[in-house]
Amino acid sequence: MAKTAIITGGSRGIGRALSLKLAEMGYNVVINYRSTSSKVLSDELAKEIEEKYGVKNLVVKADVSIYEECEHLVSETVKVFGDHIDCLVNNAGITNNCNFIDITKEAYTRVINTNLMSFLHMSHLVLPYMVNHSDKDHQCNIVNTSSVGGLTGVINQADYCAAKSGVIGLSRALALEFASRGVRVNTIAPGMIMTDMLRGVNQDELRALAATIPEGYIGDVSDIASALEYILKATYLTGQVISPNGGFVLQ
């Protein structure tokens, strides 16, 4: 029986690479997106997944910062794939990049709600569908996307760093609580990864950015997908932070 995975923010950038990796590993993939602009990307990704890997998929629009919309995402998943959810990848995230004096309450609340509260919402809703089916021979997984910003401070990113640090704390607590019930919980904390945001940066600035990384280059989304694959296969791994960052931050 094919396994089922839900990924939030799964249509572009790192999320897209993680969605493809899940499909490559044989999971039926539930791709969540929020904005209208991501609808086309999600549909194109769903078609690619089906054609390339032959697994089933489902595209669901939901603002995962809102609990009721998370309920909709999970209920749609259960409706299509049944009440056995094997993997949850909490990946949705946004950033403000604003100094903390000028940032508005609404702006930093939006970041906290998307980058941290959505992880609580989705984990709270999905875990009942994991613990009822998991055991020592069939593990379920929650994989949370944090950031090197959750491991160290970043200027003009106080809200982002707070949320990403919270993700690590959440992961560790859930790992301890559910280890005996067949659910592993781990975190990926990406460093600087080449996404659309970095592609739009001045090339001189990009080279200067790469020079700050000990390995000398900016990572690719495939590096994060490889970390996901490792976590899902590493059956003795839980409560850990895997940070593909080229040596930029040492734990």
Side-chain angles (χ1 to χ4, degrees), residues 10 41 59 83 86 93 95 102 126 131 144 153 156 164 186 205 212 216 227:
L41 294 175
V59 174
D83 64 351
D86 302 272
T95 185
D102 293 333
V126 168
V131 297
N144 293 323
N156 293 335
K164 293 303 186 179
N186 290 286
E205 293 178 1
T212 67

Side-chain angles (χ1 to χ4, degrees), residues 49-185:
I49 283 173
E50 187 170 349
E51 292 178 349
K52 192 171 184 179
Y53 299 109
V55 297
K56 297 178 181 179
N57 61 78
L58 176 67
V59 174
V60 182
K61 181 179 181 180
D63 181 346
V64 289
S65 69
I66 301 169
Y67 191 83
E68 290 73 19
E69 296 205 22
C70 292
E71 288 181 308
H72 169 69
L73 173 55
V74 175
S75 67
E76 288 299 301
T77 299
V78 172
K79 188 185 302 181
V80 173
F81 294 115
D83 64 351
H84 191 169
I85 300 173
D86 302 272
C87 180
L88 168 64
V89 180
N90 284 311
N91 175 72
I94 59 174
T95 185
N96 284 316
N97 193 32
C98 180
N99 75 79
F100 200 64
I101 290 178
D102 293 333
I103 196 171
T104 65
K105 178 187 71 174
E106 291 74 19
Y108 68 64
T109 299
R110 186 167 60 249
V111 162
I112 296 298
N113 286 344
T114 301
N115 294 15
L116 178 58
M117 292 306 298
S118 73
F119 290 47
L120 276 82
H121 296 337
M122 288 301 298
S123 298
H124 185 246
L125 290 164
V126 168
L127 274 165
Y129 295 102
M130 292 183 166
V131 297
N132 291 336
H133 296 282
S134 59
D135 54 43
K136 65 178 181 179
D137 297 317
H138 182 89
Q139 296 178 333
C140 293
N141 285 274
I142 296 176
V143 182
N144 293 323
T145 303
S146 178
S147 164
V148 289
L151 302 173
T152 184
V154 180
I155 294 173
N156 293 335
Q157 297 278 2
D159 51 350
Y160 182 85
C161 292
K164 293 303 186 179
S165 294
V167 166
I168 294 172
L170 171 66
S171 300
R172 288 172 173 164
L174 291 180
L176 289 174
E177 186 171 347
F178 290 95
S180 64
R181 304 183 72 179
V183 181
R184 296 190 293 114
V185 186

Side-chain angles (χ1 to χ4, degrees), residues 2 8 14 17 25 56 58 66 100 172 179 218 220 233 244 248:
T8 66
I14 290 174
M25 295 180 70
K56 297 178 181 179
L58 176 67
I66 301 169
F100 200 64
R172 288 172 173 164
I218 293 168
D220 186 76
K233 290 181 176 179
F248 183 66

